[in-house]
Amino acid sequence: MASATATGQRLAGRHILLGITGSIAAYKAAMLCRLWKTAGAEVQVVMTPLAKQFITPLTMATLSKRPILVEFFNPENGAWNSHVSLGEWADCYVIAPATANTLAKMATGVADNLLLTTYLSARCPVVVAPAMDLDMYAHEATQQNLRTLAARGVRIVEPGEGELASGLSGKGRMAEPEEIAEFVGQLLSEPKEEKKTLSGKRMIVTAGATIEAIDPVRFISNHSSGKMGYAIAGELASRGADVTLISGRTALPVPPGVERVDVLSAAEMYEAAVKAFDTADGAVMCAAVADYTPESVSATKLKKGDGEMCIRLRRTRDIAAELGARKGNRLLIGFALETDDEEAHAQSKLEKKNFDFIVLNSLRDAGAGFRGDTNKVTFIDRSGCEELPLLTKREVAARIADRIEGLFAR
Ligand code: PMT
């Protein structure tokens, strides 16, 4: 067995989805969860309804520090537990213990509980740790199901031999938690096959908020942190694109392989974007750019008087619309941040700015928009809309990059 430290190094910060099914071995899932949490991983537990008879949701929620998911909907408030988001969140989905019944359902695509629908939606590696009586395990039906799953890429942590809950002795005991944790640690440390699908493409990404000075002390700006734009720049660079990130002031580190151009005002962002677009193959306009700027900037700090103050503002230039006018056969992707009549506003920006598609996010959706690590977006192009579930900004960036790849391949 490898040391806990070695496993920890591999698991720190990783997202593990732990599926628990109705087996006496469910008690071992508690130890497994604890090992992963100690190693710094985030663990989300999904249980089948029967699993609750073997280990309480309270135990697993306490150990994982997250509410346990069992049903498709939360019966208290009707909130939907999205199996798609869970499958996308996870770096690895581990079903331990996996009963003969669940393995059979997985092999045949039955989707009658949240654990199974999540399996069908998972894009990450899936690991199963079978647990059952020796005859059930040896039965040709179970063995056939395991072969089917293995052929589809599901990794199997073989059960051990020994005394079973039935009192019989043989092969069927779920592997020990340390063994499963080590297996998952190894799996997650395997280098990911990097797809350099955007090699040779030069992309611009604008990100963050612009700052419009009023005087040497004060300015007009907005809440953009740059997280969404930086995630896109990082994703495009990881796929081999040559990325210029034109960034307002943020505290974020430059993603690996990205060249950053720092700007402050909308006018500076305009100059940098128009210049870089000359030699680019495409641009993603994620920055929150001021539409208005003070008509004049005071050279000295404005003194307060007794009465009210008016600052006269003038329009800034629309960077995206300018690139849209010069676009030719380059790609141009825009964002729309809305608070009302979202789709209509986004449609109108799609046309006015000549975008290939627009990414709509609404401040009415929980977890969407400024500052957080998640976003809820809808892609809109001239053929229709694709609404995505709440995802991390990293996942949204990957979906945008997938679309960009598709557009380049046309
Ligand atoms: O940075 P985060 O905290 O992660 O937040 C992300 C975000 C909410 C800022 C991002 O997801 C987002 O929605 N960005 C666009 C915000 C915006 O200003 O939207 P808009 O609807 O006002 O602008 C429409 C499009 O025109 C955008 O692509 C914008 O970059 C572009 N624009 C707008 C004005 C202008 N003068 N020049 C532009 O290029």
Side-chain angles (χ1 to χ4, degrees):
M1 191 198 314
S3 73
T5 319
T7 304
Q9 279 162 1
R10 297 181 207 123
L11 293 180
R14 306 307 293 266
H15 292 176
I16 300 173
L17 197 55
L18 172 58
I20 306 176
T21 68
S23 154
I24 190 68
Y27 76 91
K28 291 185 184 174
M31 177 54 84
L32 190 53
C33 179
R34 202 154 171 271
L35 284 173
W36 283 330
K37 288 296 289 178
T38 308
E42 288 290 320
V43 182
Q44 173 64 63
V45 176
V46 186
M47 297 171 86
T48 60
L50 190 59
K52 292 198 294 184
Q53 312 276 340
F54 290 90
I55 187 161
T56 69
L58 180 62
T59 303
M60 295 312 301
T62 309
L63 290 171
S64 65
K65 301 194 168 49
R66 283 169 176 265
I68 302 313
L69 304 175
V70 180
E71 307 294 344
F72 292 111
F73 292 92
N74 179 336
E76 306 280 299
N77 58 16
W80 185 49
N81 293 322
S82 167
H83 54 91
V84 176
S85 307
L86 283 172
E88 288 182 327
W89 172 86
D91 292 313
C92 190
Y93 187 13
V94 184
I95 302 173
T99 58
N101 181 43
T102 290
L103 293 169
K105 288 177 172 180
M106 287 170 71
T108 49
V110 173
D112 63 358
N113 62 44
L114 186 64
L115 181 145
L116 289 162
T117 49
T118 304
Y119 161 64
L120 291 174
S121 318
R123 294 178 169 193
C124 57
V126 177
V127 176
V128 292
M132 63 202 78
D133 207 38
L134 77 164
D135 294 316
M136 288 173 83
Y137 184 70
H139 198 284
E140 181 50 23
T142 304
Q143 290 302 314
Q144 175 65 48
N145 289 332
L146 284 168
R147 282 195 294 275
T148 301
L149 292 173
R152 291 184 195 144
V154 172
R155 322 286 176 110
I156 297 157
V157 187
E158 293 244 331
E161 293 198 27
E163 195 186 328
L164 299 164
S166 61
L168 297 172
S169 187
K171 190 166 180 175
R173 281 169 68 97
M174 186 176 92
E176 293 308 314
E178 292 81 0
E179 192 188 330
I180 299 171
E182 177 55 19
F183 184 92
V184 172
Q186 294 278 4
L187 184 66
L188 290 179
S189 64
E190 282 173 12
K192 271 196 200 159
E193 213 181 289
E194 292 223 322
K195 298 182 288 168
K196 298 290 180 197
T197 38
L198 291 172
S199 280
K201 299 294 182 198
R202 295 176 74 88
M203 296 296 294
I204 303 171
V205 179
T206 65
T210 57
I211 288 183
E212 309 301 321
I214 296 170
D215 67 13
V217 178
R218 305 164 182 106
F219 57 78
I220 299 171
S221 190
N222 61 67
H223 298 292
S224 172
S225 62
K227 284 183 181 175
M228 188 68 252
Y230 274 57
I232 297 166
E235 182 66 30
L236 296 176
S238 77
R239 297 185 188 206
D242 192 351
V243 181
T244 302
L245 173 62
I246 302 173
S247 171
R249 188 191 286 163
T250 82
L252 301 172
V254 187
V258 167
E259 188 201 342
R260 187 170 75 181
V261 177
D262 290 322
V263 296
L264 277 182
S265 63
E268 286 178 22
M269 189 171 272
Y270 177 94
E271 295 303 331
V274 167
K275 184 167 167 229
F277 200 54
D278 267 353
T279 52
D281 296 294
V284 184
M285 313 302 287
C286 186
V289 186
D291 290 321
Y292 290 90
T293 191
E295 204 168 57
S296 62
V297 182
S298 171
T300 53
K301 183 179 173 189
L302 293 174
K303 298 289 172 253
K304 62 174 175 287
D306 290 336
E308 290 173 356
M309 170 188 266
C310 275
I311 300 172
R312 211 177 151 76
L313 304 177
R314 65 173 166 76
R315 281 295 309 266
T316 55
R317 285 193 282 188
D318 191 316
I319 309 165
E322 179 61 35
L323 301 194
R326 302 168 179 229
K327 178 171 174 282
N329 55 8
R330 284 169 285 196
L331 293 186
L332 190 61
I333 292 93
F335 269 74
L337 177 66
E338 306 297 343
T339 56
D340 60 288
D341 211 358
E342 288 84 347
E343 222 176 291
H345 288 307
Q347 286 280 4
S348 141
K349 287 174 186 172
L350 174 78
E351 295 306 333
K352 273 195 196 142
K353 307 196 189 202
N354 198 14
F355 292 136
D356 289 277
F357 69 92
I358 193 159
V359 183
L360 163 64
N361 41 186
S362 169
L363 291 188
R364 286 204 285 190
D365 286 324
F370 294 126
R371 301 175 79 92
D373 292 320
T374 57
N375 207 353
K376 173 142 185 12
V377 304
T378 301
F379 295 145
I380 303 177
D381 64 14
R382 286 165 191 82
S383 65
C385 298
E386 183 192 355
E387 192 179 337
L388 303 187
L390 184 69
L391 298 173
T392 63
K393 285 186 174 167
R394 208 181 71 187
E395 289 158 346
V396 171
R399 295 295 194 92
I400 292 170
D402 288 345
R403 278 208 161 216
I404 289 173
E405 277 180 22
L407 289 169
F408 277 130
R410 278 181 310 188

